[in-house]
Amino acid sequence: MHYRAILKQSDGWWIGRLIDLPGVNAQEKTREACLQSLRIGAEDMLATPIEFDAESIMTIIEVPDRVAA
């Protein structure tokens, strides 16, 4: 799978986040290490089981496509 990442350099650190998986963030000294940390974070998030109690429901919502202005 592919996920979009935003990376920037700040005060000697590479800071990154995955747009498509909110909560997957990384901060490393090199760009390559930051990308690897993001990969590991994505793998961990996607491997985490989702537990529901008896009163919970799972559903799908539809979000309309954005119209360019």
Side-chain angles (χ1 to χ4, degrees), residues 10-69:
S10 178
D11 295 326
W13 291 91
W14 281 90
I15 300 166
R17 66 184 176 98
L18 295 184
I19 298 168
D20 305 306
L21 291 176
V24 177
N25 307 300
Q27 178 177 328
E28 300 289 349
K29 284 291 190 178
T30 67
R31 180 181 181 273
E32 294 75 21
C34 190
L35 288 169
Q36 183 62 20
S37 289
L38 290 173
R39 284 186 198 98
I40 292 167
E43 290 171 353
D44 289 348
M45 178 178 274
L46 294 169
T48 302
I50 300 171
E51 298 180 17
F52 294 96
D53 60 40
E55 287 129 26
S56 296
I57 62 168
M58 180 184 284
T59 188
I60 296 173
I61 64 167
E62 182 177 341
V63 177
D65 292 335
R66 290 180 57 178
V67 177

Side-chain angles (χ1 to χ4, degrees), residues 1-13:
M1 289 197 225
H2 295 103
Y3 297 98
R4 296 174 293 167
I6 292 180
L7 298 166
K8 71 176 183 177
Q9 205 169 15
S10 178
D11 295 326
W13 291 91

